[in-house]
Amino acid sequence: MKKRNILLLLLTFVLILSGCTVQTKDEGQSTPAPDNNAEQPANTTAPTIEVLGMSANEADLNIIRDQLTKNGFNVKLNIQPDYGSFKSQQDAGNYDVSMSSWTTVTGNPDYAVRSLFTTGGDYSIMSDEEVDQLINQASTQSPEDAVETYKQLEQVLVESKAYIAPLYISLKSQALNKDVLNPESVRLSKSRSLPWEDIDFNDTSKRDQEPLILSQTIPTLTSLDPIKGNDGSINIINTNMNVRLINLTDDDKITSEGSLSYNHSIAEGNSDYYFILRDDINFAKVEDKLAVDSGERVGADDVVFSMNRAKNKDSVPDHRTYTLHEHIQDVEVVEDLASLDAVNVAGSDETVRQALENGLDTPIASLVTDKNQASTKDGKYQVIKLTTTEPFPQVLNYLAHQSAGIVSKKQVESINTYDVAKFDVNKDIPYGDQNTVTEGDQYNNTLYASGPYILSYKNDYEAVFYKNPGYMTGTDHEPNINQVKVRFIQDADSTLAALRSGEIHLFYSVPETKYDVVRSDSKLELQTVQSNAVAYLLFNTANRDVAKSEDLRKAVLHSINQDEFLAYYKNNKEKAYSTLSPLVNTGNELKADPAKVKEFLANYQNSK
C-alpha cells in the first residue's frame, strides 16, 4: 500500500473517533462517550478529582465529568458495575466524590439528615458538632419552627463547608402491564415502599395459579433482619415481610391502616405513644420451600423485643438502623386499663382509651399481657406504650420504616445465640443471613415473617415469596396473590424490555429517560408522583485532599450546573439543595459559578 493511502486511512480513523458519542435509545440525546476508569489527559497544573459511581448512573457521571473538566479539573471516573462493588470502593476510600442518593422513605425531615450527616450516624462519614446540634434542635421543633433551623443546616452542609454537592430531585415512578394487572390495585406512594398485598390481577382467578412478577437490580440482599439493612436490596422486601406498628399513607400521613395496630394515640406532652394491637396476624415460616402458618401469634412481647433491639446499637453486629430509633426510651405492655383513662390525647379533651377504642366493634373490656389471651371479639386487647427520650412526634414516622418491622422474639433469640461482641463472620450465622435462603448447600430457611409475604428461596436469577397464610385473613389487607417472584435484572434497558415482553408485570422506579417508551406502548401504564429521592455528590472526608480543603470542595460544588441535568432529563427532575429539599422549602438554591470556582481553586493552589 502506498504511503499516501496509509496516511489517508489513518486520518479517516482519527476523524471517526473524534465524533464518537453515546446516544440513548429513547430520545437520541447525546452524552460524551464514557471513559470508564480511564484518566483524562492530565493538565499538570489542575487538581485531579476521582468520581465514584455505578454504571447505572453513567449518563450523570459523564455530565459531572464534563462540568468539572470545563472548570479546570482533571477527572478520573471510577465506574463500578453494581452496588456491592461501588460500596467496596467507597468503604476503601477510593474516591474524591461519590455519586450518592437518598430517599426519605419515612416522609419526615429528620430521616433525611440524621443517618447521613450526624456523628456516628448509620451512613455518616462526617463528624461536625454544628451539624449535630442543628439536626437535634430541628428534631424537637414544630414543623413551622424547624424550617429556619433546617435552612441553617443546609447552608452548613452545602455553602459553608461543602460536605455535599446537590444534583437533583427525582420523580417516583412505576410502569405496569395493564393487560395483566388491575391498575387501581397498584399503589404508588411518595415515601413508603410498594405494598404487594394490594396488587391484583385483572383476572382474579389467576391469584393462586400464577405469580406476580416484579424486578430489582440488586441480587445480593444485605440482610433479611429488618434492623440490619437500609438500602435498595432489601427495603421493599423487608417492608413486605414484616408488619409495623404504624404505616404511611400514599401522601405521607401517619395511619394505623394495614399495620399491627387498630389505632394509635399520642398522649399530652408528646412523649408517650400508645398502640392497641390486632390479634389476627400469625408469623409465617417456610417448610419444603412453601409458606405455612407457624401457629405463633404476633403480639406485644414481639413488639417490645423488636423495638428494644431496633434502638440498641449493640443488639446485633453491623446494626445499620439504630440511629433511626435512638429516641425510643422505653417500650412496655400496658397492664392497667385505668391508666388509659387517666391521660388525655395531646391537644384534646379525649382520653387515650377513647382514642384507642375509636372505630372498634368491641370496646376495651380488659388488657392482657399474654398475646395468646388477646381476643378482639371479647374486648381483650394488648396495648403498647412507647416513651421517647424527649417530645418527638417524628418517632411515628420512624416506626413506619421497614427497620421497625416486628420479628419473632422466640425465633430470633433461638437463632442469634452468638456473642455480639465476639461475632465471627466465618462461623456465626445471624438471623436473616441471605445465605440461609439461597439455594445450595447453605440453604436453611429460618425466617419468621409477620408481614403479608415470606421469602422462600433465592438464586442468582430470582427471589420467590409466598403469601403468609396467617396474615389478616378475611380482611381487606389479606394478600390477593399467592406467589411473588422478584427477578434480578441489573439495568433499566433490560428491565423495560422484560416488561414489554411480558417477562415481568411491573417496573418499579422507571428512569425518566424511559417515560416516552412506556407511554408509547399501549399495554403499559406509567404512574408518577413527586418523590423524596435526592441525588448528590458526597465528598471523601478521610484520606484525600478534598477531606482537608474546603476550598477544593467548594470549587467542585460551584462547578455543578443543575440546569444541565434537568435539560438531559427533559425537566423530569427538579432542583435540589440537600436531601431535605423535597420535604422542607428553605429557599436555598445552588447556582453554578465559574468565577467562584477559579477563586476557590486559586486558594487551594496557594495553600499547598
Side-chain angles (χ1 to χ4, degrees):
M1 184 179 285
K2 293 183 180 179
K3 187 184 222 180
R4 182 173 170 227
N5 289 337
I6 293 174
L7 289 173
L8 285 172
L9 184 60
L10 287 172
L11 178 61
T12 302
F13 183 64
V14 168
L15 288 172
I16 291 172
L17 284 181
S18 69
C20 182
T21 61
V22 173
Q23 299 226 335
T24 65
K25 294 180 181 178
D26 310 331
E27 47 207 332
Q29 291 175 308
S30 296
T31 58
D35 62 3
N36 295 326
N37 295 333
E39 294 188 34
Q40 299 290 326
N43 176 346
T44 56
T45 63
T48 295
I49 295 294
E50 182 175 3
V51 182
L52 172 65
M54 290 188 291
S55 56
N57 303 119
E58 194 165 81
D60 291 337
L61 294 169
N62 288 332
I63 294 172
I64 293 164
R65 177 197 59 190
D66 289 350
Q67 292 180 355
L68 292 176
T69 302
K70 183 171 64 176
N71 280 278
F73 292 93
N74 293 320
V75 180
K76 176 183 179 181
L77 291 185
N78 181 352
I79 302 179
Q80 297 299 312
D82 53 46
Y83 179 77
S85 302
F86 166 85
K87 193 68 172 64
S88 295
Q89 288 288 301
Q90 192 177 54
D91 290 345
N94 296 331
Y95 69 99
D96 291 299
V97 292
S98 65
M99 185 173 173
S100 304
S101 62
W102 183 258
T103 302
T104 302
V105 295
T106 57
N108 63 310
D110 190 73
Y111 181 82
V113 291
R114 182 170 297 277
S115 287
L116 294 175
F117 306 125
T118 56
T119 302
D122 303 314
Y123 293 89
S124 176
I125 59 173
M126 291 170 43
S127 180
D128 187 301
E129 290 183 1
E130 184 178 10
V131 169
D132 293 347
Q133 184 271 323
L134 289 168
I135 290 174
N136 289 326
Q137 177 182 335
S139 72
T140 64
Q141 294 175 315
S142 68
E144 296 76 21
D145 293 338
V147 172
E148 181 58 33
T149 307
Y150 282 129
K151 181 175 183 176
Q152 294 175 36
L153 171 64
E154 281 192 328
Q155 290 167 343
V156 174
L157 288 172
V158 183
E159 289 287 342
S160 175
K161 297 185 180 178
Y163 290 124
I164 64 171
L167 299 178
Y168 53 73
I169 303 170
S170 297
L171 292 176
K172 188 173 183 181
S173 62
Q174 59 194 17
L176 59 97
N177 186 329
K178 62 184 179 183
D179 289 349
V180 177
L181 300 182
N182 177 357
E184 293 183 0
S185 73
V186 183
R187 294 169 55 184
L188 181 60
S189 307
K190 185 176 181 183
S191 292
R192 70 168 292 180
S193 296
L194 176 67
W196 297 347
E197 68 266 30
D198 293 326
I199 301 175
D200 206 354
F201 293 123
N202 286 320
D203 181 355
T204 56
S205 67
K206 295 181 177 180
R207 290 173 174 174
D208 294 330
Q209 281 73 45
E210 296 185 13
L212 166 66
I213 309 177
L214 310 174
S215 69
Q216 74 174 40
T217 59
I218 305 174
T220 302
L221 309 181
T222 304
S223 177
L224 298 162
D225 184 340
I227 64 175
K228 291 194 64 178
N230 191 15
D231 59 74
S233 75
I234 48 77
N235 282 343
I236 291 181
I237 289 174
N238 282 346
T239 296
N240 284 285
M241 285 225 303
N242 302 287
V243 74
R244 295 159 300 285
L245 280 172
I246 213 78
N247 275 325
L248 291 177
T249 64
D250 291 345
D251 58 352
D252 286 353
K253 303 294 190 301
I254 300 294
T255 181
S256 292
E257 188 76 13
S259 75
L260 182 57
S261 306
Y262 285 120
N263 285 314
H264 67 279
S265 177
I266 306 175
E268 54 189 355
N270 292 325
S271 287
D272 292 330
Y273 302 79
Y274 293 85
F275 308 85
I276 186 167
L277 305 187
R278 308 179 67 101
D279 65 351
D280 58 354
I281 302 177
N282 280 9
F283 289 103
K285 65 178 181 178
V286 172
E287 291 182 355
D288 298 324
K289 291 191 174 180
L290 295 176
V292 298
D293 189 337
S294 70
E296 181 188 348
R297 180 179 291 178
V298 182
D301 59 334
D302 305 300
V303 173
V304 173
F305 173 74
S306 299
M307 295 299 97
N308 281 330
R309 71 194 298 264
K311 72 171 184 172
N312 179 8
K313 180 181 180 180
D314 299 319
S315 61
V316 291
D318 198 24
H319 196 323
R320 300 284 184 92
T321 59
Y322 65 92
T323 60
L324 303 184
H325 307 292
E326 63 186 0
H327 286 91
I328 298 175
Q329 179 171 291
D330 295 308
V331 188
E332 59 184 299
V333 184
V334 179
E335 300 181 35
D336 181 12
L337 180 56
S339 68
L340 302 181
D341 292 315
V343 61
N344 286 348
V345 174
S348 170
D349 292 332
E350 184 182 37
T351 67
V352 166
R353 177 177 177 174
Q354 289 171 328
L356 295 179
E357 288 181 331
N358 185 34
L360 295 181
D361 291 336
T362 308
I364 304 173
S366 63
L367 299 180
V368 296
T369 56
D370 182 348
K371 63 186 178 184
N372 295 309
Q373 292 180 2
S375 173
T376 295
K377 64 182 179 62
D378 296 319
K380 298 178 180 179
Y381 295 94
Q382 291 196 297
V383 170
I384 292 290
K385 177 184 177 183
L386 184 149
T387 302
T388 54
T389 55
E390 57 190 334
F392 188 64
Q394 289 190 55
V395 73
L396 290 174
N397 294 79
Y398 288 127
L399 296 180
H401 187 257
Q402 60 87 12
S403 62
I406 308 304
V407 295
S408 165
K409 179 179 186 294
K410 176 182 175 182
Q411 181 68 0
V412 173
E413 287 184 334
S414 73
I415 301 299
N416 289 356
T417 57
Y418 53 80
D419 183 339
V420 174
K422 298 178 181 178
F423 179 78
D424 185 345
V425 295
N426 296 312
K427 68 180 184 68
D428 294 323
I429 302 175
Y431 177 82
D433 188 324
Q434 74 145 4
N435 292 315
T436 63
V437 297
T438 302
E439 288 184 314
D441 294 339
Q442 289 184 289
Y443 180 85
N444 180 29
N445 194 327
T446 57
L447 295 174
Y448 266 46
S450 62
Y453 286 91
I454 187 168
L455 175 57
S456 172
Y457 65 90
K458 70 175 285 289
N459 49 43
D460 292 338
Y461 178 60
E462 66 185 4
V464 177
F465 301 77
Y466 287 100
K467 169 182 174 178
N468 178 352
Y471 188 82
M472 301 194 199
T473 55
T475 73
D476 291 340
H477 303 292
E478 179 182 352
N480 291 315
I481 299 174
N482 181 58
Q483 186 185 49
V484 176
K485 292 184 176 182
V486 176
R487 297 271 164 82
F488 301 127
I489 308 176
Q490 288 197 351
D491 63 85
D493 286 323
S494 300
T495 305
L496 184 54
L499 178 68
R500 300 185 74 184
S501 68
E503 180 185 342
I504 64 174
H505 300 143
L506 187 146
F507 180 2
Y508 191 72
S509 296
V510 182
E512 289 88 344
T513 54
K514 309 299 179 186
Y515 285 3
D516 289 346
V517 179
V518 174
R519 291 184 176 119
S520 69
D521 192 322
S522 61
K523 68 177 175 294
L524 302 183
E525 178 173 310
L526 179 70
Q527 300 175 338
T528 62
V529 67
Q530 184 188 43
S531 83
N532 294 334
V534 177
Y536 61 98
L537 297 181
L538 177 67
F539 287 93
N540 190 324
T541 59
N543 61 349
R544 295 290 180 96
D545 280 357
V546 292
K548 297 175 285 188
S549 173
E550 282 186 12
D551 286 311
L552 184 55
R553 297 198 300 268
K554 289 177 180 178
V556 173
L557 171 71
H558 289 287
S559 298
I560 300 302
N561 186 337
Q562 294 185 1
D563 289 326
E564 293 182 3
F565 289 95
L566 269 59
Y568 175 77
Y569 289 104
K570 296 184 176 181
N571 290 317
N572 286 315
K573 303 281 191 186
E574 297 180 15
K575 290 186 177 182
Y577 194 80
S578 80
T579 48
L580 287 163
S581 295
L583 301 149
V584 183
N585 182 12
T586 63
N588 288 327
E589 183 178 353
L590 175 67
K591 295 182 179 179
D593 193 332
K596 286 187 176 180
V597 175
K598 290 181 180 179
E599 175 189 344
F600 290 126
L601 276 179
N603 292 342
Y604 165 70
Q605 297 285 10
N606 291 335
S607 67
K608 294 180 66 176

